[in-house]
Amino acid sequence: MSLPDCHLDLGCGEHPRNPYGRTRLYGVDIRAPSGPVDYEHRVANLVLEPIPFEDSSLGSVSAFDYLEHVPRLFPDDKGGTRFPFVQLMDEIWRVLAPGGRLYALTPAYPHPEAFVDPTHVNIITDESHTYFCGESPLGRMYGFSGRFEVIRVLRTERASAYSAVAGSPQNHGPAKRAARHVRRWIRFLRGKRASLSPAWLLWELEAVKPETKA
């Protein structure tokens, strides 16, 4: 079964990314664009609302510098507690077709980039994805009903991972990556860095679900 040739970028602003280079591009954000755009935009507050797409309708979903803004805990309208980040991951799994992919790039612990923005309320670690992956995801205890398998989870420079396509001009090449690595070592030796690893964490996860019959 071939994947739908369409991609959704979450928290897209006015310039959604299309890391797999799909033919049809959608964007979701809390605000409408200020003018005409060349993609289909839908307005939704994903902390409170579901992703406004049908089940298994998308080939891929991306979240660039977005997951860290989604609260882990939030009051519900009955005086209880919701888990918006877990629910969002469930929604991403719902709208992806079987074998569809999530491509997420997030500043991660312990780097200052994960904390410096006061709207970063969801601190991602190197192991956070395990709550949504494998045969029995740990997120089941919080209501996660989906399942992902890991394609890759790795530390990276943000500008080296804008596209999932190998050799894409959207990504910085080996020379620029090497230069940043040298600068990171220099800062570390001067006591200005807690870690030598890059600040951004890349998730590329595949939705595991039964294929729907045509």
Side-chain angles (χ1 to χ4, degrees):
M1 180 178 177
S2 61
L3 289 171
D5 192 17
C6 51
H7 177 80
L8 170 64
D9 190 37
L10 303 178
C12 65
E14 299 193 5
H15 303 286
R17 293 192 176 275
N18 188 6
Y20 295 100
R22 301 202 184 278
T23 300
R24 191 162 187 176
L25 178 60
Y26 304 106
V28 168
D29 203 278
I30 197 169
R31 296 182 183 87
S34 59
V37 294
D38 59 357
Y39 63 94
E40 184 175 327
H41 188 284
R42 300 186 186 183
V43 175
N45 182 343
L46 299 182
V47 174
L48 303 173
E49 303 172 80
I51 296 175
F53 285 84
E54 299 296 323
D55 296 1
S56 301
S57 61
L58 301 170
S60 49
V61 172
S62 59
F64 288 88
D65 294 297
Y66 179 70
L67 297 182
E68 66 272 20
H69 297 278
V70 180
R72 294 193 173 204
L73 299 174
F74 204 78
D76 64 20
D77 56 5
K78 299 178 182 178
T81 301
R82 296 176 52 246
F83 306 104
F85 176 47
V86 174
Q87 292 168 352
L88 176 63
M89 291 298 295
D90 212 37
E91 279 291 293
I92 291 170
W93 178 85
R94 178 185 65 79
V95 300
L96 283 172
R101 293 190 177 184
L102 166 63
Y103 192 89
L105 193 63
T106 310
Y109 176 87
H111 288 271
E113 288 86 344
F115 300 94
V116 65
D117 187 329
T119 68
H120 288 185
V121 293
N122 180 18
I123 305 305
I124 302 298
T125 78
D126 292 305
E127 300 298 326
S128 294
H129 68 281
T130 61
Y131 276 73
F132 312 104
C133 298
E135 293 289 339
S136 299
L138 294 170
R140 292 276 187 268
M141 70 180 82
Y142 303 118
F144 178 68
S145 61
R147 179 186 161 204
F148 291 96
E149 290 293 342
V150 173
I151 302 301
R152 51 180 174 157
V153 172
L154 54 86
R155 290 278 176 169
T156 184
E157 300 287 354
R158 177 168 53 178
S160 299
Y162 286 139
S163 174
V165 179
S168 170
Q170 296 180 46
N171 299 335
H172 284 180
K176 288 187 176 180
R177 290 198 299 270
R180 283 196 300 272
H181 184 68
V182 170
R183 290 196 296 270
R184 193 161 56 245
W185 262 101
I186 292 172
R187 287 194 294 266
F188 177 79
L189 293 173
R190 290 176 176 175
K192 295 183 178 180
R193 280 282 179 175
S195 174
L196 289 172
S197 64
W200 267 259
L201 189 65
L202 170 65
W203 288 0
E204 190 171 14
L205 310 179
E206 184 174 299
V208 179
K209 57 200 310 187
E211 292 191 2
T212 56
K213 294 182 180 180

